[in-house]
């Protein structure tokens, strides 16, 4: 059986492209480019909370890296380096090899150097830390939304939630859109190109990990504003095609997480710029509401009636 250092040497030691010193010493040596600010984020994945213990290790490796890379996209930053601390209940070399391949595949897809980490024995737990760069003063934060801004969402949020419902046996999805829901659950695609393109256009932004309503509430709280969502503008088409149930599709869109789409606000006068960015990134961008100057979150139905919405997503110590 391989020991800790054998595991690191065999599965966690890869060449780097823009790092002075990677795996093999007490620390890595990284040099940010001139004029850049360093952006740092950690997203932990715990067996039984964020993924099923029997999850495919290759897909899990991709996802562990992707959810962290997505945090860079959410700030308009370019991901550059990543570390991984991992605890394993036992050494299964075939599992470790598949996991490491998936993690590395995601890093290579987004130009990220894997520069180190730690391994230990314990419950299955994955704790990457990602480091990125953004031009000084250009990061897109959560606190910039202003009265009159449009609210936008990228892609098709809710797909991962439907995929999880099928995995748990709660729902049977249909057709190609159903297959896409499973793909989005297991292999999320961080919107790095979109996040970087929105610098100077978006006023506030984050990635949707705990549900659209709950994550929008973070922007509203940090920006001290409210919002109203336009029900007819909500992107439900693919969700309805996958599950054929309006209530379930709407719940997945508004409350489902794990999509890692970008939710952002932008001034009304920049609609043309946002639409052009969407075309350039070959990604649908949906204008789903607007920012208000009073606190609260509402849904405006097609008949003009407004109803209050809960502004709370998934919380680990409450749900």
């Amino acid at each position: 059986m391989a020991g800790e250092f054998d595991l690191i040497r065999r599965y966690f030691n890869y060449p780097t492209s823009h790092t002075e010193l990677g795996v093999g010493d007490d620390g890595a040596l990284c040099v940010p480019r001139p004029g850049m600010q360093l952006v740092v984020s950690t997203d932990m994945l715990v067996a039984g909370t964020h993924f099923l213990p029997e999850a495919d290790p290759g897909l899990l490796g991709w996802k562990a890296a992707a959810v962290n890379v997505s945090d860079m996209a959410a700030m308009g930053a370019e991901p550059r380096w990543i570390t991984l601390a991992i605890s394993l209940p036992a050494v299964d070399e075939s599992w470790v090899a598949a996991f490491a391949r998936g993690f590395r595949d995601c890093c290579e897809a987004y130009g990220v150097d894997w520069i180190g980490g730690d391994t230990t024995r314990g419950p299955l737990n994955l704790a990457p830390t990602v480091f990125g760069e953004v031009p000084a003063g250009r990061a897109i934060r959560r606190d910039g939304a202003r009265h009159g801004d449009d609210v936008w969402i990228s892609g098709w949020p809710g797909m991962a939630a439907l995929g999880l419902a099928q995995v748990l046996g709660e729902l049977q999805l249909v057709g190609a859109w159903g297959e896409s829901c499973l793909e989005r659950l297991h292999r999320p695609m961080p919107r790095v190109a979109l996040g970087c393109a929105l610098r100077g256009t978006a006023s506030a932004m984050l990635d949707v990990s705990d549900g659209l309503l709950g994550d929008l509430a973070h922007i509203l709280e940090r920006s001290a504003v409210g919002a109203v969502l336009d029900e007819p503008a909500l992107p439900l088409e693919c969700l309805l095609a996958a599950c054929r149930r309006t209530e379930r599709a709407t719940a997945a869109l508004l409350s489902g997480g794990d999509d890692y789409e970008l939710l952002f606000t932008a001034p009304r006068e920049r609609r043309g710029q946002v639409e052009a960015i969407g075309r350039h990134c070959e990604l649908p961008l949906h204008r789903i509401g607007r920012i208000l100057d009073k606190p609260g979150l509402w849904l405006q139905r097609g008949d003009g009636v407004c109803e209050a919405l809960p502004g709370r997503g998934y919380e680990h110590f409450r749900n």
Side-chain angles (χ1 to χ4, degrees), residues 156-164 177 180-182 184-185 238-239 252 259:
W156 303 102
M159 294 179 69
L162 292 184
L164 179 61
W177 277 116
S180 295
C181 289
L182 292 171
R184 290 299 306 279
L185 172 66
C238 70
L239 305 180
D259 287 292

Side-chain angles (χ1 to χ4, degrees), residues 95-113:
W95 190 99
V96 172
F99 173 87
R101 282 195 303 271
F103 194 91
R104 184 187 182 189
D105 286 348
C106 184
C107 291
E108 290 184 343
Y110 288 92
V112 183
D113 276 358

Side-chain angles (χ1 to χ4, degrees), residues 2 56 70 129 134 153 176 191 214 253 260-261:
D56 177 277
S70 182
T129 298
V134 66
I153 185 74
R191 306 304 191 186
L253 171 66
Y260 304 98
E261 293 291 354

Side-chain angles (χ1 to χ4, degrees), residues 58-219:
L59 294 175
L60 182 58
W62 175 283
K63 189 168 186 176
V67 301
N68 281 270
V69 169
S70 182
D71 283 337
M72 298 295 100
M75 298 198 73
E78 179 185 351
R80 298 276 284 168
W81 303 279
I82 197 166
T83 63
L84 173 66
I86 179 171
S87 66
L88 299 165
V91 176
D92 178 341
E93 289 203 46
S94 63
W95 190 99
V96 172
F99 173 87
R101 282 195 303 271
F103 194 91
R104 184 187 182 189
D105 286 348
C106 184
C107 291
E108 290 184 343
Y110 288 92
V112 183
D113 276 358
W114 186 359
I115 59 171
D118 190 26
T119 60
T120 190
R121 182 185 295 273
L124 183 55
N125 181 34
L126 315 169
T129 298
V130 65
F131 305 80
E133 294 177 326
V134 66
R138 299 290 302 280
I140 307 173
R141 298 164 31 157
R142 297 181 178 186
D143 59 0
R146 298 293 179 262
H147 172 56
D149 283 0
D150 294 323
V151 179
W152 297 82
I153 185 74
S154 69
W156 303 102
M159 294 179 69
L162 292 184
L164 179 61
Q166 172 155 309
V167 169
L168 296 177
E170 301 172 356
L171 195 64
Q172 183 60 50
L173 303 177
V174 297
W177 277 116
E179 296 174 5
S180 295
C181 289
L182 292 171
E183 177 75 6
R184 290 299 306 279
L185 172 66
H186 296 306
R187 195 178 168 87
M189 303 298 291
R191 306 304 191 186
V192 174
L194 174 63
C196 291
L198 285 169
R199 295 176 196 149
T201 297
S203 52
M205 186 162 68
L206 47 62
D207 62 336
V208 178
S209 58
D210 297 323
L212 191 156
L213 294 184
D215 286 324
L216 176 57
H218 296 318
I219 289 179

